[in-house]
Amino acid sequence: MDLMKAYYCTSYGPPGVLELRDVPTPKPGAHQILVKVKAVPVTVGDCRIRGFRVPPSFQFTAKIALGFTRPRRPVLGRYFAGIVESIGKNVTQFNIGDNIFGSTGNKFGTYAEFVCVSEKSSVTTIPENMSFEDAAAVLWGNGTALHFLRKTNMNTKQHILINGASGSVGLGAVQLGKYFGFMVTAVCSSGNIDLVKSVGADHVIDYTQEDFTEHDGDFDIVFDTVGNHPVQKLMNVLKPAGLLLHIVAAPDVTKEIRKQIKGTQKRFIGGTFTWNKEMISFLKERIENNEVKPIVDSIYSFDEMVKAHYRVDSGRKTGDVIVTFT
């Protein structure tokens, strides 16, 4: 049996629960490709699952979905950039040696030297002259931002505020917000003002100097990527028919938001999203046209996976934390 190295999540807990193990190397089916992984992002989502950071009211449901004592799919990671190592007999879209990037979705499994994906899944070739590290940094934040921004009515006269603009999703939202034609106000710390301006923010609010929730009714859309303000204050920032995009709203928070908007013209969109091939093709085109660029916070080697998780857990990253494979 061929073996590969993979990080195995032995239980829920701090980064140290990730253990490097020898596991069977997957073999591609007829319509699958085997990818030699070269780089992966360590996302906030990965760390939430590893640490089982779930609101008390949602923990039982989450354990049914994820696993009771450890993740049911113990090799975490949903995103990758790598090289096609081998292909199934019916594969027509990719060739051995192609550089590709994409997502495995809820199948996880990218914290490993090799991963199998369907050729019809959310994968495509990497733009020319783009590194594996940059390709891996395109996926999580931009994909999440794209999903939520497409839920708006795309009125280019609208003014959007992005809370957490220097994180992976926030930077994606700033860049794609400008691509779609919004007026963008970014909220970040003083140390990241130049960064968010460099990717297109029209205005910046330094949260160490100013509370954005004091802007009464100024914004058509609030895109909250952090979840660090009370619902009522977020509602006050919106115009009478404004829209709240909230990517970290737990069930109890969602319930409170719906209570707050009842009887008003305000709207709310939350929840998670599922990748599809069109989304990753769209992002590839934006990269090739220099309309979106990856932002890498830091790069760790494969044997530093635990350190990479600590970096994400610190809450101080800007952009994506990347782990590279030899």
Side-chain angles (χ1 to χ4, degrees):
M1 179 185 294
D2 293 333
L3 297 177
M4 66 176 180
K5 297 290 185 182
Y7 277 94
Y8 195 95
C9 191
T10 58
S11 64
Y12 294 119
V17 301
L18 296 173
E19 181 180 285
L20 191 59
R21 293 186 177 183
D22 290 322
V23 301
T25 303
K27 297 186 183 299
H31 293 280
Q32 289 185 315
I33 52 180
L34 178 68
V35 181
K36 181 177 177 60
V37 180
K38 300 296 290 184
V40 298
V42 174
T43 71
V44 172
D46 295 341
C47 294
R48 286 194 187 117
I49 292 172
R50 184 217 71 229
F52 197 69
R53 295 201 292 270
V54 176
S57 62
F58 193 55
Q59 287 189 357
F60 183 73
T61 303
K63 285 190 174 183
I64 291 176
L66 295 172
F68 279 88
T69 60
R70 62 164 174 78
R72 190 171 292 111
R73 295 183 181 274
V75 179
L76 302 180
R78 300 184 185 194
Y79 306 98
F80 68 90
I83 304 170
V84 176
E85 180 80 2
S86 63
I87 60 176
K89 63 180 181 179
N90 294 330
V91 170
T92 59
Q93 297 180 28
F94 299 98
N95 297 304
I96 293 172
D98 285 348
N99 293 344
I100 68 171
F101 68 141
S103 171
T104 60
N106 291 330
K107 294 181 180 179
F108 299 93
T110 66
Y111 285 11
E113 292 181 303
F114 295 92
V115 66
C116 270
V117 292
S118 167
E119 69 169 336
K120 297 180 181 180
S121 63
S122 303
V123 294
T124 191
T125 54
I126 295 174
E128 291 185 11
N129 302 320
M130 190 177 203
S131 69
F132 291 113
E133 292 84 359
D134 282 350
V138 166
L139 299 165
W140 155 248
N142 288 293
T144 304
L146 176 62
H147 168 80
F148 280 90
L149 289 173
R150 280 180 165 177
K151 296 290 185 179
T152 71
N153 61 16
M154 295 295 188
N155 184 335
T156 57
K157 296 180 180 179
Q158 289 187 313
H159 194 170
I160 184 171
L161 178 138
I162 300 167
N163 183 32
S166 61
S168 181
V169 178
L171 288 165
V174 172
Q175 295 185 78
L176 288 169
K178 290 308 300 177
Y179 169 78
F180 288 129
F182 293 110
M183 175 73 72
V184 174
T185 291
V187 180
C188 65
S189 65
S190 53
N192 294 319
I193 290 175
D194 289 343
L195 172 62
V196 297
K197 283 185 176 179
S198 74
V199 297
D202 298 290
H203 309 285
V204 181
I205 295 175
D206 178 354
Y207 69 73
T208 69
Q209 303 295 322
E210 180 183 356
D211 183 355
F212 79 84
T213 64
E214 294 179 358
H215 288 251
D216 188 18
D218 286 349
F219 298 97
D220 300 287
I221 303 168
V222 170
F223 194 158
D224 191 354
T225 74
V226 185
N228 58 349
H229 289 277
V231 170
Q232 180 59 56
K233 288 192 173 185
L234 294 177
M235 293 295 112
N236 290 341
V237 174
L238 288 170
K239 291 180 179 180
L243 168 65
L244 173 62
L245 305 174
H246 200 308
I247 72 167
V248 291
D252 53 341
V253 175
T254 297
K255 183 177 180 181
E256 178 62 23
I257 293 171
R258 297 197 184 282
K259 180 180 177 181
Q260 292 285 340
I261 66 175
K262 187 176 181 180
T264 75
Q265 292 181 287
K266 294 177 180 178
R267 295 183 298 130
F268 159 68
I269 295 173
T272 58
F273 79 99
T274 301
W275 276 93
N276 59 54
K277 206 171 187 71
E278 182 278 331
M279 289 175 69
I280 197 163
S281 296
F282 175 89
L283 288 176
K284 178 183 176 180
E285 186 174 347
R286 302 287 70 74
I287 295 163
E288 291 173 331
N289 293 340
N290 295 314
E291 292 154 337
V292 167
K293 63 180 181 180
I295 306 295
V296 175
D297 171 90
S298 49
I299 297 176
Y300 294 84
S301 62
F302 186 53
D303 60 1
E304 295 177 312
M305 178 69 77
V306 171
K307 290 183 179 180
H309 270 248
Y310 274 115
R311 174 61 182 169
V312 177
D313 278 356
S314 74
R316 295 192 296 270
K317 74 179 183 70
T318 54
D320 280 85
V321 172
I322 302 299
V323 170
T324 60
F325 297 56
T326 56

